[in-house]
Structure formats: structure tokens, C-alpha cells
Amino acid sequence: MDSRPSSRRTSSPGRHRLGKYEGLEEIGRPPGGATLYSAADPATGRAVTLACVALSAFAGRDADLDRFRRDARVASRLIHPAILRIHASGEHGGTAFLACDPAAGRTLAQLLAEQAPLAAGEAVAITAAILEAVDHAHRAGLVHGLIAPEAVWIGEDRTVRVGWFGLAALAAPRATVGDDLKAVGGLLDRMLAGRSLTVELTGILAQATAPRPEDRFASAAAFRSALLDAGPSPPAGPKTRRRLPVLLPGAALALLVAAGLLILDRRPAPPSPPAAAVVEPRPASAPPGPQPAELQSPAAESPPPSPPAPVQPAEAPAAVPVPPPLPARPSPEAVRNALRDVTCALPTVGEHDGRLLIGGTAAGEAARRAVQDLTARLAGGWPYGIEIATAPAELCDPLTVAAAPLAANAALDRPLALRLVTEAGPLRADESLVLEVETPPGRPLHLQVDYFTADGTVVHLLPNPSETGSLTEPAATRRLGERSAGGRFWTIGPPFGQELLLVLASPAPLSVGGRPEAEPASAYLAALRRALRESGSVEGGHVLAAARFIATAP
């Protein structure tokens, strides 16, 4: 994001610099004309890999350029353990780019050159991880198009990462979901070439690589499920189960005190439903109590439940009374209050035609799943639709630091409010960022307004070099970023994706020290955490916060 009008330099990768990225060194050339560079972001010290392509390569191919731009936006929002994380996308000086994490380990091509054929268990495990990544992208509406051994990295701990997402428009602009699945089948075939296979694996390979699309697997999830059911068990490795605590407010929290902390058991096995799923009420015979619930869509079949793990008598917990079931239809407000306890998300709850509508954004895949799981637990007899956008997981940090002020604000009848003046769709490159902050009644408050970008930078919008006065009258609306007002204004620039605005309001200015206008978010958040801790001891001090995610795009 640009903090003031300026003429942009038209640097190029050939001069070892692209926008803010420096030290470019060529490291590879994927199919289709892109070039990979190692580079660094001096503002954050982060090493990145840039996938760059000259916009002139799309001369006379407007539809392909449109697809490339669209795919780049979608790819920059993919967050999955088996996908090389893309931090930013954009265009600069006639060059389009994607900035992603550097790949660690060897490519699958290098592994096959050294060890082919692979053991059947290892080949199945690698293929299952690739299919998980591909399924995640397909659910977001993105086809990979360039799946090849060179696009898959195997770490020293045998973790698998898939790269080159967002580049299909270069070499395979007409690629489909079926093409991706056939390509993954081809990888599995190469990994096992020369080995004797079970009848089941032979059949799976035949179906995955069938010439006609209608004869192949219908989805990456179906391919993966068949593979894990029929193939040998993957070799033992680090466990992927994660436990995410979710606290419930009010009466529900009181019911769980005796049991300690409610734990959602996050198992990797069943694939997630599509981003927008319609969920019908659970039948009355469903067992009560806080057990994990699956989101169901009409096209998905529930896998059979896993048998419970045996509990050793010495470890058996004390008996805990089972809480009574929740009301058949808790109010939308009750569901909204419960979802606020997922710290890394800003969910919305509405009602339409007797159906709950859950929306909003979550910082990271774990937070998105937590919103889904908690909704399934609390929605009771409601049918509901849910569509949660996923922002970079790093944006959880500012929400965590400001968790107490956000909760204090949510409890007010007239809370601190934050609005974008332009609400129609994502904010585009070079579009002005104009926002309004409305203070609650009562007393004047000092405002601290911060913009957290997709690449780990924070821009301080207020105070700023042109506007140092942060004190704002009660029940007043303060507009920031309007060009005609003569103060500071900002325009949208790379990196693009989901970003975060955070407003804090306090009786006295927060003691965060003299800050540069833009800096690494981690340094600022450490100072902000200290300042919030100190403000709690001020007589009569009470800090409020409001936050919202915004989508930006080229």
C-alpha cells in the first residue's frame, strides 16, 4: 500500500530488483514462460521466491491475462500445510509476479532421479498429500494446471509442499480439474514404475489416468480416499492431529468448567466441505454433548466413525455430568456471541428465510475450521449456510493482541465502529483507501488506526506524519484518507489479498513509542502488547477495539 502519491519506479528483474523485492537471482523456469527468482523483502527480512512473467507475454491473449490475474488473486489466498504459501501477488513495471515461501528440501524429480521406484507406502503418502493440496485449491475455484515432479518439494522430514499454483494461464490456460487429477495419477505411476502392485492400486492408477475425463475420479478428495483405503499404510511420521481450544461464553462456558477446556479434535482425514455449504439441522436422535460435528453437504458422504481409542484405567478422568442439549434454535445473537470466542476470526451471523447465514473472514485455516465446527455445535435446529474467507494466518496476531479490547467493545450498546467508505467488492490497485471511525458516546478517546498488509507489514494510518492529533470527541465520526481533506491519504498497492484494519480507542494515547509510518508488524505488536498491559493499570482506563478484514486485488 502506498502511503502518499508518488511516481512508481519501473524496475525489472533484470536489474535485480522488482518493486520492494531485492537481490533477485534466477533459480528456475517453470513451463509457460515464467521465471523463478530468489529474492528478499528488506522491510521484513523475509526470503521469498518470485514467479515472474512479463505482461507482454500475454499480447493478443486478453482472456489468458484475465485468467492469470484472477488465478493469482485466488492463489494468494490459499493457506494449507501442503501448499507453498503465496504471500503476495501484483504487477510492477510491466512484470506480473507471485511471491511465495522458498521451497525447502528436494523436488520430487530429484527424489525420483535418486531413488526410483519409491516404496509403495511412501508413494501413497506423497500422492495423498499432493491430492490434499489440489483438493484445497479446487474448492477455492483454482486449477493447478502444471502438476509435475518439479512442482512438488519433499522436506527432510518427508513433508510435502506443492508449488506453482496460479501459473496455469501461462502454459495450460484451458486446464481443468480432471487434468489435474490425471496429472497426479501420472506422478503416482512414475513413483511406482517397476514395482509389483496390488490389484487395488492397479485399478486406482487405471482410473486416475483414464483417457476420458468421465472415467476418472470425480474429485481429488475421492481419489485420495480411494488411495488411502486401497493402498498400503503410509510410513510412520509426525502426527498431524491438532487440538484447537474453543471457549464458549455465558451459560455454555459455565457448563464446561468442570470438564476444563473444550477441545475440538481436528482430524485431517475427512475432506472439508466446499467453502459455501448448506447444512441442514442435525436429527433429533443425534447424541447430546460437545462431540465433534461434521458439516454435511448434499453431495458428500460421511465416512464411518472411527472406533474410540481405549482409555487406560489409570488415566480415566473423573466423571463429568453431560450438559443438557442447547435450545432447538438458539437466537442468531447467541450464535454470534459464541463465534466471537474464535479469536482469529471476524464472523458475521444473519438470518434469511428461516436459515442462519454465517459469513466473515478467518485468519488461517485452523480458525476457519473452528468457526465451522463451533457453528455445527451451536446452530441447534437451524438449517444454515456458511462461507468463511481465509486470510493469512499471520493476521491472527493483531487480533490476538487486541482480543480483550475487541471483547470490551462488542459488549457496548453503541460500540466503536469502523467502516470503509467504498464497500463494493475488493479494493483495486491505485484505488484510494478511505475509512470512517465512529466513537461511542461518553468521553473523548484517542484513536490508533493500523493497516496490516498480507506480507507482514503494518502501516500506521493515525497518528501519521500529517495528522498527529488522535483525540476524537464522543459519538463523533472521523474520516481518514480523503484526498480533498488535505491530510494523509493512501492508495492500494501490492501485495494483494486479505488484509486487516484495526482501530484502538483509549482514554490516553497508547505508549507504543515513536513508530515509523510503516514497519514489520511483529515489532509493532510487541510494543502494542506492552502498551495495552500498561493501560490496564490507568485509573478509569478502558481500551476498545474494532477490526475488519478487507480484500485487495490488482
Side-chain angles (χ1 to χ4, degrees):
M1 186 176 73
D2 298 324
S3 61
R4 55 186 179 277
S6 62
S7 59
R8 300 192 179 194
R9 292 183 291 176
T10 57
S11 52
S12 68
R15 302 217 308 259
H16 306 291
R17 182 182 178 91
L18 180 67
K20 68 177 182 177
Y21 299 104
E22 297 179 346
L24 275 65
E25 293 186 10
E26 184 175 336
I27 57 174
R29 289 180 178 265
T35 304
L36 300 180
Y37 297 91
S38 63
D41 178 355
T44 63
R46 173 186 289 149
V48 298
T49 294
L50 297 179
C52 299
V53 59
L55 292 176
S56 59
F58 292 101
R61 300 164 54 202
D62 291 347
D64 292 348
L65 177 58
D66 288 343
R67 173 169 178 174
F68 178 81
R69 286 169 169 163
R70 179 257 177 198
D71 284 0
R73 291 195 296 271
V74 176
S76 66
R77 295 195 292 269
L78 294 180
I79 302 175
H80 190 276
I83 294 177
L84 276 178
R85 169 73 191 284
I86 296 174
H87 294 283
S89 66
E91 298 174 11
H92 188 94
T95 298
F97 68 89
L98 293 168
C100 67
D101 279 338
R106 296 173 294 175
T107 66
L108 179 57
Q110 292 169 326
L111 184 64
L112 290 174
E114 298 169 5
Q115 300 181 21
L118 302 183
E122 183 172 22
V124 167
I126 292 173
T127 306
I130 296 171
L131 287 169
E132 235 190 317
V134 169
D135 180 59
H136 185 75
H138 288 175
R139 290 177 184 277
L142 181 67
V143 172
H144 188 290
L146 296 176
I147 292 173
E150 294 78 11
V152 179
W153 281 264
I154 314 295
E156 293 297 325
D157 58 354
R158 281 323 202 223
T159 54
V160 177
R161 301 285 187 275
V162 182
W164 298 3
F165 281 99
L167 301 181
L170 296 174
R174 307 296 175 262
T176 65
V177 167
D179 294 331
D180 276 357
L181 302 185
K182 184 177 181 180
V184 177
L187 291 185
L188 178 60
D189 194 21
R190 289 182 63 175
M191 285 187 272
L192 295 174
R195 286 199 179 275
S196 59
L197 304 178
T198 63
V199 173
E200 291 82 2
L201 269 179
T202 302
I204 287 172
L205 274 173
Q207 183 174 353
T209 57
R212 299 194 311 167
E214 58 267 28
D215 294 333
R216 301 174 202 151
F217 289 101
S219 67
F223 185 174
R224 182 177 182 274
S225 178
L227 185 65
L228 294 179
D229 286 345
S233 299
K239 293 183 178 179
T240 58
R241 180 182 298 179
R242 294 182 296 171
R243 293 183 177 271
L244 178 67
V246 179
L247 301 181
L248 304 183
L253 176 60
L255 291 170
L256 294 169
V257 168
L261 193 62
L262 175 62
I263 299 294
L264 298 185
D265 193 357
R266 303 295 315 286
R267 302 177 186 270
S272 334
V278 175
V279 184
E280 296 302 329
R282 188 176 287 277
S285 59
Q291 56 186 7
E294 300 290 342
L295 292 180
Q296 299 291 335
S297 66
E301 296 182 0
S302 299
S306 303
V311 178
Q312 299 298 326
E315 299 176 359
V320 177
V322 177
L326 291 169
R329 285 200 172 192
S331 69
E333 182 65 24
V335 176
R336 184 182 302 113
N337 289 338
L339 292 179
R340 287 193 183 118
D341 284 331
V342 182
T343 302
C344 298
L346 297 177
T348 61
V349 180
E351 179 186 354
H352 181 69
D353 288 341
R355 187 180 301 275
L356 279 182
L357 301 178
I358 315 297
T361 304
E365 182 67 15
R368 185 185 71 81
R369 294 281 185 89
V371 173
Q372 288 183 328
D373 292 347
L374 192 53
T375 300
R377 293 171 185 275
L378 297 179
W382 286 99
Y384 63 91
I386 184 165
E387 186 171 3
I388 303 292
T390 307
E394 290 82 355
L395 293 181
C396 176
D397 293 341
L399 293 177
T400 302
V401 172
L406 286 167
N409 190 55
L412 297 179
D413 292 332
R414 289 186 58 186
L416 178 72
L418 169 62
R419 294 184 293 271
L420 286 181
V421 173
T422 304
E423 291 282 358
L427 291 176
R428 299 286 178 177
D430 298 324
E431 188 173 351
S432 294
L433 173 69
V434 184
L435 58 139
E436 290 181 340
V437 179
E438 183 179 345
T439 54
R443 56 180 169 178
L445 294 171
H446 289 269
L447 300 181
Q448 174 78 35
V449 185
D450 299 310
Y451 183 102
F452 294 85
T453 70
D455 69 343
T457 299
V458 59
V459 181
H460 303 301
L461 307 186
L462 185 73
N464 63 63
S466 299
E467 197 169 3
T468 57
S470 63
L471 187 64
T472 305
E473 293 301 313
T477 298
R478 186 159 183 172
R479 180 172 288 203
L480 300 173
E482 196 163 49
R483 294 176 184 247
S484 60
R488 205 67 157 176
F489 62 89
W490 307 274
T491 56
I492 298 300
F496 302 111
Q498 289 284 347
E499 303 186 308
L500 179 71
L501 280 165
L502 176 65
V503 178
L504 293 126
S506 53
L510 293 173
S511 302
V512 292
R515 317 301 307 181
E517 190 168 7
E519 61 177 318
S522 56
Y524 169 65
L525 289 173
L528 180 59
R529 185 179 285 106
R530 289 192 299 270
L532 290 173
R533 195 161 52 237
E534 293 168 0
S535 69
S537 62
V538 177
E539 182 68 25
H542 198 51
V543 183
L544 306 174
R548 64 164 296 155
F549 288 99
I550 65 171
T552 64

